[in-house]
């Protein structure tokens, strides 16, 4: 099945590239070898700054100029996918032992799938870049080639294509493979000299005028350059100060990273050592474009954390960073820009210098500290839970991973919600249906409430602010409090909210609905967004930002109801429970008074929240956990996470 997934991903990548118009696919490759490409021109490769490779790379690509562009596009894409497959197989076979039979069977297809989904591979396939080849040459030199000379030659050729690969010669030297290191340096010098003899002017331009290609392509301060040099330029540094600081930081990263890589290689984790060295090369290169960052993904093989619950944190972070753009991982707020703009560099620096990878001699390498689980109270039905392996973990989940997952899920929710629209006509027809049904039920109070609030300035401002602000603040606050104070309940509460949101997405997709404020002829006043010009086809201009027809069910009310239920169930004081009920009351008043939802939308929101609680109960069992002797919650007699040990080795509830 996993190999079938690999085949499907390969076919999809091929189709995505070849479906693009000729002027939009393989843009870098077409720039080099197209009808008027750089490699056809008698002058310098670097006259237009469109070619960013080494002179040796230009020499290797010269024969391709005689190939027809269309057939080359197909052959190039297919060949690149084959290189990715070989890369995944080599990496899977290089895993440090001992490797279980299941791991040996799953490693290759999983590795190839992750590679194909990664941003560097997708970027390289789209642009027609050669960045996959140096990575493969290094892996072949480290794990496949027989003999020191063959290994050194492959490393030297890789360095001739991408100069910072010379760091692998340093790794060979530090690990005792000095003949391979010398051969690698010699092969690099020979390839570079060959290119210098064939194209002396281009070689001077690349190595002297542009300092190993540092001034070629996009500006070095662009977001595409994920190196220390690019980050310093983005932070506003320039001139001699930036150069000196870059050299100092690069030297420090090389020192720390190569020492760590040497230690891992001597420990028998050569693949991790190679990945760490590659991450060092990414960080210290003057320019490290997105398609050159595959080394960060290879660092996923490192084992970090002494506890079983921590083992998936590092791999999950690496996979998320290498498969999703920064704007998906972090919110669009100025304080997050420095991290969002340099997230790939930070991952590379983390792998090279900071991640606490375990040595194979560690007692936790094969046997991490097991996770403590709590058993829920017996369910009312014998078939609950349907997923008996879904046990409640008593300790807190990793905060970084939790924040990343919440952000990614919310971004996916926003993308699906934006795509789930069937157009204005359908949404307005559904709006008329809802309005008619409410009239029949005698609950069509939206128009009266809307016009009453409009004439009371302070009340209008209050509801506008409440609608725009508290929708996110209150749920996040409750999740934060539960994370700190009651981690077992946090996991349960997070699951209920997640299931409810997924069910709501189905509602948005299947039943696009125009809210009252976007219904022409009914006289509603949009107090939050301002007057909409219904005479223009694009009057709902906000639909370019978010789907304005995602009204049924109302997650504004649904999430507020979830907040009220959480507070009523878990708050220790009666006044807190009463205060918690005010939030859904204010929210339903706000969504109706501002003409952003129908009354029946709130009913739909309540239904999806109920469905979220039901699904969590059916799949994972009751919220309440089996009590520890003598420890009960004074409010309702149930056990909370505060009454069970979070990080002990004792069995809790009879299970570990």
């Amino acid at each position: 099945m996993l190999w079938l997934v690999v085949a499907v991903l390969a076919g999809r990548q091929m189709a995505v590239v070849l479906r693009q118009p000729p002027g939009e696919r393989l843009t870098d490759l077409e720039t080099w070898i197209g009808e008027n490409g750089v490699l056809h021109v008698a002058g310098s490769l670097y006259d237009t700054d469109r070619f960013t490779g080494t002179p040796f790379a230009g020499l290797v690509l010269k024969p391709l100029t005689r190939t027809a562009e269309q057939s080359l596009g197909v052959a190039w894409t297919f060949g690149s996918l084959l290189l990715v497959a070989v890369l995944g197989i080599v990496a899977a076979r290089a895993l440090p032992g001992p490797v279980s039979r299941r791991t040996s069977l799953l490693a290759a297809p999983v590795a190839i799938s992750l590679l194909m989904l990664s941003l560097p591979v997708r970027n390289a396939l789209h642009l027609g870049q050669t960045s996959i080849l140096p990575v493969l040459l290094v892996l072949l030199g480290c794990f496949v080639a027989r003999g020191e000379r063959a290994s050194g030659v492959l490393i030297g050729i890789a360095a001739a294509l991408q100069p910072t690969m010379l760091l692998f010669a340093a790794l060979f030297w530090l690990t005792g493979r000095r003949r391979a290191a010398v051969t690698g340096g010699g092969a690099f010098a020979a390839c570079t000299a060959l290119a210098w003899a064939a194209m002396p002017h281009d070689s001077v331009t690349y190595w002297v005028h542009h300092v190993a290609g540092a001034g070629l392509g996009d500006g070095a301060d662009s977001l595409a350059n994920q190196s220390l040099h690019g980050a310093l330029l983005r932070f506003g540094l320039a001139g001699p100060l930036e150069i000196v600081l870059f050299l100092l930081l690069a030297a420090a990263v090389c020192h720390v990273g190569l020492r760590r890589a040497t230690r891992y290689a001597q420990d028998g984790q050569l693949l991790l050592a190679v990945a760490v060295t590659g991450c060092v090369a990414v960080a210290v290169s003057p320019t490290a474009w997105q398609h050159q960052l595959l080394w960060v993904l290879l660092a996923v093989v490192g084992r970090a954390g002494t506890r079983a619950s921590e083992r998936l944190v590092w791999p999950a972070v690496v996979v998320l960073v290498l498969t999703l753009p920064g704007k998906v991982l972090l919110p669009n707020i100025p304080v997050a820009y420095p991290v969002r703009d340099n997230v790939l560099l930070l991952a590379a620096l983390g792998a090279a210098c900071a991640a606490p990878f375990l040595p194979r001699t560690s007692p936790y390498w094969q046997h991490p500290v097991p996770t403590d689980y709590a058993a829920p109270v017996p369910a009312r039905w014998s078939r609950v839970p349907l997923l008996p392996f879904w046990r409640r973990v008593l300790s807190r989940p990793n905060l970084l991973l939790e924040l990343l997952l919440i952000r990614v899920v919310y971004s996916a929710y926003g993308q699906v919600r934006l795509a789930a629209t069937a157009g204005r006509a359908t949404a307005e027809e559904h709006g008329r249906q809802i309005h008619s049904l409410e009239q029949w039920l005698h609950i069509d109070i939206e128009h009266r409430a809307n016009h009453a609030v409009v004439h009371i300035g302070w009340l209008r401002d209050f509801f506008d602010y409440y609608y725009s602000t508290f929708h996110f603040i209150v749920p996040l606050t409750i999740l934060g409090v539960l994370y700190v104070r009651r981690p077992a309940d946090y996991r349960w509460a997070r699951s209920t909210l997640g299931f409810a949101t997924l069910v709501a997405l189905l509602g948005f997709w299947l039943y696009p609905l125009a809210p009252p404020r976007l219904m022409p002829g009914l006289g509603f006043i949009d107090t939050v967004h301002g007057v909409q010009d219904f005479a223009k086809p694009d009057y709902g201009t906000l639909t370019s930002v978010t789907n304005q027809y995602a009204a049924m069910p109302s997650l504004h009310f649904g999430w507020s109801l979830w907040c009220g239920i959480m507070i009523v169930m878990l708050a220790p004081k009666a006044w807190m429970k009463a205060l918690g009920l005010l939030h859904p009351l204010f929210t339903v008043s706000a969504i109706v008074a501002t003409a952003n939802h129908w009354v029946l939308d709130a009913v739909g929101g309540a239904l999806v929240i109920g469905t979220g609680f039901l699904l969590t109960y059916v799949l994972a069992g009751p919220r309440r956990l089996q009590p520890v002797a003598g420890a009960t919650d004074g409010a309702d007699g149930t056990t909370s996470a505060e009454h069970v040990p979070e990080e002990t080795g004792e069995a809790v509830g009879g299970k570990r």
Side-chain angles (χ1 to χ4, degrees):
M1 289 298 296
L2 286 173
W3 282 111
L4 179 60
V5 171
V6 170
V8 170
L9 288 174
R12 180 184 179 278
Q13 295 285 17
M14 193 92 170
V16 166
V17 172
L18 299 181
R19 274 204 307 262
Q20 297 293 324
E24 298 179 13
R25 72 179 185 219
L26 304 174
T27 51
D28 284 2
L29 185 64
E30 187 175 321
T31 297
W32 304 340
I33 62 173
E35 183 177 352
N36 298 313
V38 175
L39 300 184
H40 279 286
V41 179
S44 172
L45 293 172
Y46 309 106
D47 281 343
T48 61
D49 288 344
R50 294 181 298 174
F51 185 76
T52 59
T54 63
F56 178 74
L59 188 64
V60 172
L61 288 171
K62 276 283 188 182
L64 298 175
T65 58
R66 300 179 181 178
T67 308
E69 190 275 331
Q70 184 176 5
S71 61
L72 178 63
V74 176
W76 186 279
T77 305
F78 185 72
S80 298
L81 290 172
L82 286 180
L83 292 181
V84 172
V86 175
L87 181 61
I89 292 173
V90 173
R93 298 186 66 177
L95 290 174
V99 177
S100 66
R101 183 173 180 273
R102 182 178 66 176
T103 300
S104 63
L105 287 173
L106 302 182
V110 169
I112 298 172
S113 298
L114 288 176
L115 287 169
M116 288 185 178
L117 290 172
S118 67
L119 292 173
V121 167
R122 283 151 49 193
N123 192 269
L125 290 173
H126 173 71
L127 297 176
Q129 280 284 354
T130 60
S131 53
I132 299 171
L133 188 56
V135 180
L136 180 58
L137 288 173
V138 169
L139 291 187
L140 292 176
C142 292
F143 301 107
V144 177
R146 296 183 178 180
E148 298 292 281
R149 290 183 178 178
S151 298
V153 168
L154 290 172
I155 295 297
I157 296 174
L161 294 172
Q162 193 173 327
T164 50
M165 295 300 99
L166 269 178
L167 284 172
F168 287 96
L171 177 65
F172 280 173
W173 183 274
L174 293 172
T175 53
R177 300 179 62 181
R178 301 194 171 182
R179 179 177 294 181
V182 173
T183 304
F188 166 74
C191 292
T192 303
L194 177 63
W196 201 291
M199 297 177 290
H201 176 69
D202 289 336
S203 296
V204 170
T205 301
Y206 181 86
W207 291 106
V208 178
H209 293 295
H210 287 289
V211 192
L216 298 174
D218 292 340
D221 61 344
S222 69
L223 295 181
N225 181 15
Q226 290 291 304
S227 70
L228 283 170
H229 179 51
L232 292 175
L233 291 175
R234 286 191 290 274
F235 284 136
L237 298 175
L241 175 63
E242 187 274 330
I243 294 174
V244 170
L245 185 57
F246 167 62
L247 293 176
L248 290 175
L249 290 175
V253 171
C254 286
H255 175 72
V256 175
L258 288 177
R259 285 190 62 184
R260 282 163 54 90
T262 303
R263 186 164 65 250
Y264 296 135
Q266 294 170 345
D267 186 55
Q269 301 184 67
L270 183 55
L271 181 57
L272 178 58
V274 169
V276 168
T277 306
C279 290
V280 173
V282 166
V284 304
S285 176
T287 53
W289 309 116
Q290 190 179 80
H291 52 79
Q292 298 172 333
L293 303 181
L294 268 180
W295 300 108
V296 184
L297 184 60
L298 294 181
V300 77
V301 300
R303 297 188 184 183
T306 59
R307 299 182 178 277
S309 59
E310 300 170 354
R311 279 294 167 86
L312 291 179
V313 174
W314 171 254
V317 170
V318 170
V319 170
L320 287 174
V321 168
L322 265 291
T323 55
L324 297 173
K327 62 182 180 181
V328 174
L329 297 173
L330 292 166
N332 187 29
I333 55 177
V335 70
Y337 289 168
V339 177
R340 189 187 69 178
D341 294 345
N342 302 286
V343 65
L344 289 169
L345 171 62
L346 292 174
L349 288 174
C353 303
F357 299 124
L358 294 174
R360 295 173 65 206
T361 54
S362 169
Y364 304 109
W365 170 265
Q366 284 288 87
H367 305 288
V369 176
T371 303
D372 291 328
Y373 297 97
V377 299
R380 298 178 181 178
W381 298 285
S382 60
R383 295 187 180 274
V384 173
L386 288 179
L387 303 178
F389 56 85
W390 186 351
R391 295 177 293 170
R392 199 87 58 81
V393 179
L394 294 175
S395 59
R396 296 180 184 89
N398 180 272
L399 181 59
L400 173 62
L401 182 58
E402 199 70 12
L403 292 175
L404 277 175
L405 291 177
I406 290 175
R407 172 61 191 175
V408 168
V409 170
Y410 181 75
S411 297
Y413 155 75
Q415 292 297 320
V416 173
R417 171 176 166 150
L418 183 59
T421 177
R424 173 180 175 180
T426 302
E428 289 179 356
E429 174 59 29
H430 290 162
R432 287 188 286 271
Q433 293 174 3
I434 292 294
H435 189 224
S436 298
L437 179 58
E438 289 190 351
Q439 287 178 323
W440 182 73
L441 294 172
H442 300 289
I443 58 173
D444 55 325
I445 62 172
E446 296 89 355
H447 190 276
R448 294 191 298 274
N450 177 235
H451 280 258
V453 168
V454 165
H455 294 95
I456 307 175
W458 66 268
L459 189 58
R460 169 179 172 164
D461 294 340
F462 170 75
F463 281 138
D464 287 352
Y465 182 78
Y466 205 93
Y467 175 85
S468 304
T469 306
F470 285 80
H471 176 48
F472 297 103
I473 291 178
V474 179
L476 290 176
T477 301
I478 291 176
L479 287 174
V481 171
L482 292 179
Y483 178 87
V484 173
R485 298 295 303 275
R486 309 178 72 152
D489 284 331
Y490 165 81
R491 294 175 184 270
W492 171 81
R494 178 199 58 188
S495 299
T496 60
L497 188 63
F499 281 133
T501 304
L502 290 176
V503 174
L505 284 178
L506 291 177
F508 301 154
W509 191 279
L510 298 175
Y511 197 75
L513 173 65
R517 63 185 178 81
L518 294 183
M519 287 295 293
L522 295 184
F524 287 97
I525 300 173
D526 188 345
T527 65
V528 177
H529 307 98
V531 178
Q532 301 289 332
D533 187 355
F534 293 99
K536 295 182 179 179
D538 61 345
Y539 73 94
T541 53
L542 285 170
T543 55
S544 63
V545 180
T546 182
N547 180 11
Q548 299 298 295
Y549 299 138
M552 172 63 80
S554 169
L555 278 186
H556 264 80
F557 178 71
W559 286 0
S560 69
L561 181 62
W562 174 88
C563 294
I565 293 174
M566 288 296 104
I567 294 173
V568 169
M569 294 180 67
L570 302 176
K573 305 292 185 180
W575 66 267
M576 295 180 181
K577 299 177 186 291
L579 189 62
L581 293 177
L582 292 179
H583 180 52
L585 176 62
F586 285 158
T587 301
V588 72
S589 302
I591 64 175
V592 172
T594 59
N596 275 281
H597 283 284
W598 306 95
V599 172
L600 287 179
D601 294 345
V603 176
L607 289 177
V608 299
I609 289 298
T611 304
F613 281 106
L614 178 62
L615 285 174
T616 306
Y617 178 85
V618 170
L619 296 177
R623 175 190 70 86
R624 291 186 299 172
L625 306 175
Q626 288 187 358
V628 178
T632 57
D633 220 342
D636 59 1
T638 61
T639 301
S640 75
E642 295 172 290
H643 300 134
V644 283
E646 291 182 22
E647 302 290 350
T648 65
E650 301 175 1
V652 180
K655 292 187 179 181
R656 284 196 62 161

